[in-house]
Amino acid sequence: MSDLTQPFKRLPVAVIGTGSYVPERRLTNADLEKMVETSNEWIVERTGILERRIAAENEHTSHMATRAAERALESAGISAEEVDLIIVATITPDTFTPSTACYVQNNIGAKNAVAFDISAACSGFLFALKTAVQYIGCGQARTALIIAAEKLSTVVNWEDRSTCVLFGDGSGAAVLRTGDQPGDGAVLASDIGSDGTLHDLLRIPGGGSACPTTTENVHERLATLAMRGNETFRHAVSHMKESATSLIERAGIQPEEIKLVVPHQANLRIINAVAQRLTIPADRVFVNLQKYGNTSAAAVAIAFDEARREGRFGKGDIVLLVAFGAGLTWSSAAIRW
């Protein structure tokens, strides 16, 4: 019997590929001006968003997840049959059951994989990363495919000008594998957290078992996103800063060693506030919010893939990913590429 009093030696885990996908249709601020009482100036000043992508009616969350997964596998140079764990982070699954991950498994032919979904809202991609690291680190999996995909256009109240300007659709993915050597793509540390006392800051109140959609309440649009913006902003900044600071300390790195910060793409003011509190200059913070809006769990995943493909970091560079989401949840990860 193993001695449980001794520290467990975990296997190194590396990110070996990334991928992302966004729908073709662009919904601009000018388009929104025709839908609700708002203006391009108002949206840009308060959020930094210029446009967002909207999936086609017959384009489901699993379809977008599959596209991102295929690109991540191509980037990693491996086949779907080599994957033995698939985790999809989403709050907009194709169906409550089966999981979206099972649809993706079927779509890509990952016949040897275990597949399941997790729900941590905008923190979901990094929750999936943390989960995959635990599976791989303790030897229960060798190759994991983590995907974040959202079709938020299906849960947005398009008559609510305070929220409909914020959200878009898209997906991002990464492949993790047991690290043959420390270094190259190594996950240095990861952090996740939750505070259920703040569950009412950002939520979809209807559509679940507590408040099923009925013919009597369908007009109330309870199955759409509702947010208390000012409080969400305040907690987002503080928890992202605390998570990132704790992570930096545990990873044994200094802020000046971080080549690039990839934050959750929710609001430019939140991104700037977090960067200032971490003393990270703006030129080392990746932002693509203006193109896609807030894609929830997919936001960090899409940004991470785009930053890699644009050459914003290279071999040996440290990348810090940090997010917050409904729940309230928060998450961060440090990767030495």
Side-chain angles (χ1 to χ4, degrees):
M1 182 180 293
S2 61
D3 185 355
L4 298 181
T5 65
Q6 297 301 313
F8 177 71
K9 184 177 180 181
R10 292 190 176 276
L11 299 171
V13 181
V15 178
I16 64 170
T18 66
S20 60
Y21 168 80
V22 292
E24 291 184 9
R25 181 190 168 196
R26 288 175 165 84
L27 183 69
T28 68
N29 292 346
D31 295 327
L32 285 168
E33 288 176 342
K34 301 172 185 177
M35 298 167 57
V36 292
E37 186 179 347
T38 190
S39 69
N40 176 67
E41 293 74 21
W42 188 90
I43 298 170
V44 172
E45 178 184 349
R46 287 164 177 76
T47 71
I49 301 169
L50 297 175
E51 61 182 32
R52 63 289 293 149
R53 299 297 183 93
I54 304 297
E57 185 175 348
N58 62 349
E59 186 174 33
H60 307 153
T61 296
S62 65
H63 298 152
M64 293 186 286
T66 297
R67 295 289 294 275
E70 290 170 341
R71 292 174 181 178
L73 292 172
E74 181 181 7
S75 167
I78 68 170
S79 69
E81 292 186 359
E82 295 178 70
V83 176
D84 46 27
L85 174 65
I86 299 173
I87 305 174
V88 172
T90 185
I91 60 169
T92 54
D94 285 21
T95 54
F96 285 143
T97 191
S99 70
T100 300
C102 284
Y103 292 122
V104 174
Q105 179 195 30
N106 175 66
N107 292 345
I108 65 175
K111 63 181 182 180
N112 298 313
V114 171
F116 59 86
D117 289 357
I118 63 171
S119 176
C122 304
S123 300
F125 181 68
L126 297 182
F127 269 59
L129 183 143
K130 178 79 169 182
T131 304
V133 165
Q134 301 307 311
Y135 270 90
I136 297 172
C138 66
Q140 296 302 302
R142 171 165 168 74
T143 304
L145 173 61
I146 61 171
I147 310 163
E150 302 286 13
K151 190 175 180 180
L152 294 176
S153 57
T154 61
V155 294
V156 167
N157 181 353
W158 292 104
E159 297 179 0
D160 179 7
R161 67 172 184 170
S162 66
T163 58
C164 74
V165 303
L166 302 176
F167 301 103
D169 302 333
S171 59
V175 178
L176 283 69
R177 174 168 274 187
T178 306
D180 296 323
Q181 299 177 358
D184 298 346
V187 180
L188 302 179
S190 57
D191 176 71
I192 59 175
S194 307
D195 183 355
T197 65
L198 301 173
H199 66 273
D200 60 342
L201 294 187
L202 179 57
R203 62 181 184 144
I204 300 175
S209 62
C211 182
T213 300
T214 65
T215 54
E216 288 76 21
N217 68 18
V218 67
H219 68 282
E220 298 179 48
R221 299 181 181 272
L222 297 175
T224 59
L225 285 160
M227 180 173 67
R228 289 159 54 186
N230 291 337
E231 291 180 69
T232 300
F233 181 102
R234 178 168 57 85
H235 286 289
V237 172
S238 63
H239 283 299
M240 287 173 73
K241 186 262 184 182
E242 290 168 7
S243 179
T245 300
S246 172
L247 187 83
I248 289 169
E249 181 178 344
R250 288 195 291 109
I253 59 179
Q254 300 298 320
E256 56 269 22
E257 295 181 78
I258 298 170
K259 175 69 173 180
L260 191 68
V261 175
V262 181
H264 174 47
Q265 308 289 310
N267 182 300
L268 188 57
R269 292 187 297 164
I270 292 176
I271 292 173
N272 290 338
V274 172
Q276 290 171 4
R277 284 162 174 75
L278 294 175
T279 66
I280 302 291
D283 62 356
R284 286 197 279 137
V285 179
F286 188 81
V287 179
N288 63 2
L289 170 75
Q290 71 280 3
K291 297 188 294 182
Y292 307 128
N294 182 353
T295 55
S296 187
V300 166
I302 295 170
F304 184 42
D305 178 56
E306 286 200 349
R308 182 187 69 82
R309 293 176 188 271
E310 291 177 13
R312 293 292 301 274
F313 57 88
K315 185 176 176 61
D317 288 335
I318 296 175
V319 183
L320 174 68
L321 295 82
V322 59
F324 77 95
L328 193 75
T329 59
W330 56 88
S331 54
S332 57
I335 299 168
R336 187 186 299 276
W337 195 256

